[in-house]
Amino acid sequence: DGVTEVLAHHRDSLQDKFIEVPCSEDYDSHKRFEGCTPRRCGRGVTDTVITREEAERIRRIAERGLSLGGSDGGASILDLHSGALSLGKHFVNLYRYFGDKIQDIFTEEDFALYRDVRQRIQQRIAQAFGISSASMYLTKPTFFSRINNTEAKTTHDEYWHPHVDKVTYGSFDYTSLLYLSDYTEDFGGGRFVFMDTGSNKTIEPRAGRVSFFTSGSENLHRVEKVHWGTRYAITISFTCNPDHGIGDPVLT
């Protein structure tokens, strides 16, 4: 893998770490939104936005939801917005499939915590990039992931391939990850890797840690394969285009 530099060790409690990188041209092929579309690109890590206790509560939401299904392979997805839930080799709509039983799985408090956490992450990203958080919109997919070392059964289980979010999902302008479990304690492998020319920059997950970055080719990345244990995280993505915005999930 060449030279690897650890940007964030799991043992460290980081105030705010931000590294600026030159923007790619990916944003030029999309409509620009003044005051939001990245003019300054980079990546940041913070352990001060979400507490470890809040991360544990959020992880319990993910565990309860994913207990209803789960992939046959190593990577399971739960999307509270669209209702998408991994089930075997496919996906089902959680809300249609389980109907009123959902009220027994999740509470209004769960969804309120989810919204609060999302808003704080959005404000932190806006602050780091010098934009207004009101000009950013939540976009899809925004989802929980549970990864273990089970062999991949479909392409959806192959989470480890290098990719660029803006290329994969055109709506993404800013991507964030909230980690819900601890590297080396809850799982091995599974580090987040920025793939820069000549070297890799890695982030070791820690419960409550938020990493965020501009979604273009300046931040090509991948996740290492998980070797043991279970890795929980939530991907929360933002767009500058209001046409691609989605609302917070609602427990109906």
Side-chain angles (χ1 to χ4, degrees), residues 53-74:
E53 188 263 338
E54 286 168 333
E56 281 167 22
R57 285 167 59 201
I58 289 270
R59 189 180 77 218
R60 286 197 288 274
I61 298 172
E63 287 170 342
R64 289 201 302 275
L66 285 162
S67 71
L68 300 171
S71 166
D72 287 344

Side-chain angles (χ1 to χ4, degrees), residues 123-141:
Q123 285 160 0
R124 182 67 197 90
I125 293 171
Q127 187 186 350
F129 289 101
I131 61 175
S132 161
S133 69
S135 68
M136 299 165 64
Y137 302 88
L138 199 61
T139 193
K140 61 182 182 183

Side-chain angles (χ1 to χ4, degrees), residues 58-249:
I58 289 270
R59 189 180 77 218
R60 286 197 288 274
I61 298 172
E63 287 170 342
R64 289 201 302 275
L66 285 162
S67 71
L68 300 171
S71 166
D72 287 344
S76 300
I77 296 300
L78 167 66
D79 183 335
L80 291 180
H81 301 267
S82 69
L85 171 70
S86 301
L87 190 67
K89 293 185 175 65
H90 308 283
F91 293 93
V92 295
N93 185 308
L94 180 78
Y95 302 118
R96 283 207 295 270
Y97 200 78
F98 295 99
D100 293 341
K101 291 182 187 159
I102 287 299
Q103 311 273 358
D104 302 329
I105 306 295
F106 304 119
T107 65
E108 288 291 357
E109 289 78 10
D110 291 336
F111 278 53
L113 174 63
Y114 182 96
R115 282 193 301 274
D116 180 40
V117 163
R118 188 274 300 167
Q119 285 163 353
R120 276 185 272 156
I121 291 171
Q122 184 168 344
Q123 285 160 0
R124 182 67 197 90
I125 293 171
Q127 187 186 350
F129 289 101
I131 61 175
S132 161
S133 69
S135 68
M136 299 165 64
Y137 302 88
L138 199 61
T139 193
K140 61 182 182 183
T142 281
F143 57 91
F144 287 105
S145 58
R146 181 186 71 194
I147 303 175
N148 58 33
N149 66 348
T150 307
E151 186 185 341
K153 300 293 192 293
T154 71
T155 53
H156 292 293
D157 297 319
E158 296 183 17
Y159 56 84
W160 53 81
H161 298 296
H163 64 279
V164 172
D165 289 348
K166 187 86 183 147
V167 174
T168 307
Y169 315 102
S171 61
F172 280 33
D173 290 302
Y174 300 93
T175 307
S176 71
L177 291 140
L178 167 59
Y179 297 107
L180 304 174
S181 47
D182 291 310
Y183 174 66
T184 75
E185 289 180 38
D186 298 313
F187 61 91
R191 295 183 302 173
F192 184 95
V193 183
F194 289 110
M195 302 177 70
D196 295 342
T197 306
S199 74
N200 288 335
K201 311 287 195 303
T202 65
I203 292 173
E204 298 177 351
R206 163 192 167 100
R209 170 166 288 169
V210 176
S211 69
F212 58 89
F213 49 93
T214 44
S215 307
S217 302
E218 67 278 358
N219 284 315
L220 174 70
H221 60 273
R222 67 181 178 90
V223 172
E224 293 176 330
K225 286 187 180 182
V226 170
H227 303 309
W228 59 266
T230 307
R231 177 194 193 270
Y232 282 93
I234 177 167
T235 299
I236 304 176
S237 41
F238 298 97
T239 184
C240 296
N241 188 339
D243 293 344
H244 292 142
I246 60 171
D248 285 306

